[in-house]
Amino acid sequence: MARRNIYFKEKTEREVQDLVQIEIQDGATNGDVNFSSMVNELIGIGLMVKNIRGGE
């Protein structure tokens, strides 16, 4: 898995962290979900949407 250093807007970081906390409250462990895994999932979804839209 590639490792990248990226910067997030504070609002984006809070929203991702909120999603992680929701998953943990729903029973996921820190091993199941963390900031990195959530960002990876969200980027995957975003890329699928972009590809469906034709890469506009």
Side-chain angles (χ1 to χ4, degrees), residues 19-41:
L19 291 171
V20 170
Q21 289 305 313
I22 289 168
E23 292 289 324
I24 290 172
Q25 289 171 1
D26 288 344
T29 66
N30 287 335
D32 296 330
V33 65
N34 56 46
F35 191 88
S36 180
S37 67
M38 182 60 70
V39 168
N40 192 43
E41 182 178 342

Side-chain angles (χ1 to χ4, degrees), residues 2-3 6-7 9-11 13 16-18 22-24 26 28 30 33-36 40 43-44 46 49 54-55:
R3 183 179 189 155
I6 61 172
Y7 296 94
K9 294 179 181 177
E10 286 183 32
K11 181 178 185 271
E13 182 180 9
V16 172
Q17 193 58 50
D18 288 346
I22 289 168
E23 292 289 324
I24 290 172
D26 288 344
N30 287 335
V33 65
N34 56 46
F35 191 88
S36 180
N40 192 43
I43 289 173
V49 169

